[in-house]
Amino acid sequence: MKTYTYKKSVALFKRAAKVIPCGIYGHLSPAPLVPATDYPFYASRAKGSRFWDVDGNEFIDYMCAYGPMVLGYNHPKVDAAAQKQLKSGNCITSPAPIMVELAEYLVDLISIADWAFFAKNGGDVTSYAIMTARAATGRKKIILVRGGYHGVAAWAQAPGHPGILEEDQSNILRVEWNDYEGLERLVNAHHGQIAGFMASPYHHPTFADSEMPAPGYWSRVEALCKKNGIVLIIDDVRCGFRLDMRGSSEYFGFKPDLECYSKAIANGYPISALVGTEALKTAAARVFYTGSFWFSAVPMAAALAALKELRRINGPALMLASGKKLLNGMADIARSYGYTLSITGAPSMPSVYVTDDESLMLHQDWCAECTKRGAFFVSHHNWFISTAHTDADIKKTWNVVDEAFRVVKKKHGA
């Protein structure tokens, strides 16, 4: 199987590094891609489940633009809705009616939603959620799960990161995932001071396995928050519409007060949403929160079309089934070479590690060998499955996985 080279990507990156800090910043940076020489840096086009880099290499994409691509790149229904709205207007002095239609649709779709608010990024709505919790309770402190990701605002980043002040973290408390007793101790130690508890529906940190909620965890957390007047906030930015169209909380059987959405809501168009219960509507209205492009109508039209299509085809069920088929086959191939593939998290959003080398060198090499043969795998972040991934994609991926294991077996042994 021919392996890829990235001459044009490297040349573009050298140009970028002269005029852009880091060349490529944030989570799309080459820094987490190990070894970076085996990965493309720039894409030229995309369609369905695949993208092509600037060197002309074709990839079956298991990152889905790090989550937003849920129906496949350039989905005709979503793009048609966006184009139709663009002809009428996008950024206008007053909001377009599509904003009301989208809010009504989300209220009908998501179980706990009595209202919806729109912004651009997941971090916009996680910040708005904690401001709403503070406005509703008159309290300062927020509890987060250690290792959880809620955006790049100063409050959301871990202590010690460059540019983050001690004061930014002064009202943030952290607890381990699934540690109900630890959460209860924090609540008791800061009685009457906790405004909100924010967490993902299940734990999906980078550089580690994903962890599902322990039996009874969410029902106990929900009861604890209700008893103590704490706003329960679910960051569904990553999982949203990949587990259950009614909200990932329905998948796990509990009722939060606020839910944050972004990645999969509009199949790549920039929009995020916070939805909440009637009890928090007045508090949300009191918080002043806005942005220059938050009322853009085109992403709202795309979101309405994407959500209708996901609901029509039962997108979460399709992605869970495709992911399960892909991953079961990959685990069998790994075993045939004497390796163990650890697969955690939901099959529509799995975290995958080859566990036979504590240094993770073997795992990183295997991901890189797959990528340069056309199955785009990153080594330290959960992957994403879309409804556009086909059986043909899965079979081709298994062939790539098989050859990559053959290569790393020769290099590392069993």
Side-chain angles (χ1 to χ4, degrees), residues 190-202:
H190 300 274
H191 181 68
Q193 300 175 60
I194 309 296
F197 171 58
M198 176 182 284
S200 305
Y202 74 85

Side-chain angles (χ1 to χ4, degrees), residues 26-29 32-34 39 62-68 147 149 202-210 237-239 242 263 327 342 344-346 348-353 360 363-364 366-367 376-385:
H27 59 300
L28 300 189
S29 161
L33 304 174
V34 185
Y39 285 85
Y62 289 103
M63 289 310 291
C64 297
Y66 283 77
Y149 179 77
Y202 74 85
H203 197 42
H204 37 69
T206 53
F207 295 94
D209 289 339
S210 294
V237 168
R238 210 179 292 189
C239 298
R242 280 192 162 86
K263 286 185 181 297
L327 298 164
S342 167
T344 56
S348 54
M349 218 181 77
S351 182
V352 179
Y353 279 92
L360 295 176
H363 168 67
Q364 292 168 170
W366 173 73
C367 288
F376 192 93
F377 294 167
V378 298
S379 47
H380 298 296
H381 192 288
N382 70 269
W383 304 350
F384 294 93
I385 310 296

Side-chain angles (χ1 to χ4, degrees), residues 248-259:
S248 298
S249 54
E250 285 294 320
Y251 187 82
F252 293 111
F254 69 102
K255 302 285 186 189
D257 302 298
L258 297 170
E259 289 188 345

